[in-house]
Amino acid sequence: GENVEQHPSTLSVQEGDSAVIKCTYSDSASNYFPWYKQELGKRPQLIIDIRSNVGEKKDQRIAVTLNKTAKHFSLHITETQPEDSAVYFCAASLRANNLFFGTGTRLTVIP
Amino acid sequence: GAVVSQHPSWVICKSGTSVKIECRSLDFQATTMFWYRQFPKQSLMLMATSNEGSKATYEQGVEKDKFLINHASLTLSTLTVTSAHPEDSSFYICSAPRKSQPYNEQFFGPGTRLTVL
């Protein structure tokens, strides 16, 4: 099955700085890579996703890059705000069916 | 967006009892649903794929006789934790993909927190 690794496990940044979270996956057949934000005790919320036919996608302060050859993808958050503080998970799947999640990154944005 | 509900949102039970958790897709039909388990400060781990009208598919290491899954209709999947023990205490989350081409959209339920005493 798919194995997704995520780094770092914790990340602290000053408000206004950028945050980068990286993931690698093992199954070359995976073609859908979503990123989720999860607050304590809540369901994961999709913040951005990328398909395998695209190398980069941006949505306001959030961007994701994908390198299929190297089997890694990254989340970039610019101009971070305190409300960005949460746990972020990457995931990989085939056509957005069963998702295999990374281990999570606890992001803390310091005001 | 589409809505997926779970019931109950939390449950406390005694060791040895069974607990049923429901996952419903409220405004779309889902022939497949997924069940995840999340221990404190850990990631979501896929437990099984629930298939309407057929047997569930379990991930390696998940006991199918302990975690019974029934997908009786196109909008309802249930997960029953049988003979629950304290180590089964966790946050259980379901998801349902809504069909769209070429990729499905996954929608998560709000989760059920199970505490086994």
Side-chain angles (χ1 to χ4, degrees), chain A residues 38 43 51 96-97 99 101-102, chain B residues 36 38 43 104 106 108-109:
Chain A
Q38 187 181 32
R43 78 186 86 192
R51 328 279 190 191
N97 286 315
L99 296 168
F101 285 84
Chain B
Y36 297 85
Q38 185 176 32
S43 186
N104 299 326
Q106 284 278 2
F108 284 88

Side-chain angles (χ1 to χ4, degrees), chain B residues 35-117:
Chain B
W35 287 96
Y36 297 85
R37 179 169 55 183
Q38 185 176 32
F39 292 111
K41 297 186 178 181
Q42 294 189 24
S43 186
L44 286 82
M45 298 298 297
L46 178 65
M47 298 176 66
T49 302
S50 174
N51 302 299
E52 188 269 335
S54 64
K55 292 182 179 180
T57 305
Y58 290 82
E59 294 299 310
Q60 191 173 7
V62 178
E63 300 176 57
K64 61 180 181 180
D65 294 332
K66 180 169 181 63
F67 298 99
L68 301 180
I69 291 174
N70 183 28
H71 197 143
S73 76
L74 289 172
T75 59
L76 173 64
S77 174
T78 59
L79 169 68
T80 301
V81 183
T82 63
S83 186
H85 291 283
E87 56 265 31
D88 298 322
S89 298
S90 187
F91 193 49
Y92 292 85
I93 304 177
C94 69
S95 73
R98 185 176 65 181
K99 292 188 182 296
S100 65
Q101 293 299 326
Y103 298 86
N104 299 326
E105 295 179 67
Q106 284 278 2
F107 295 92
F108 284 88
T112 296
R113 183 161 302 283
L114 170 63
T115 302
V116 185
L117 302 177

Side-chain angles (χ1 to χ4, degrees), chain A residues 62-74:
Chain A
I62 297 173
V64 58
T65 59
L66 171 65
N67 183 327
K68 283 215 70 177
T69 303
K71 289 190 281 189
H72 66 70
F73 55 114
S74 301

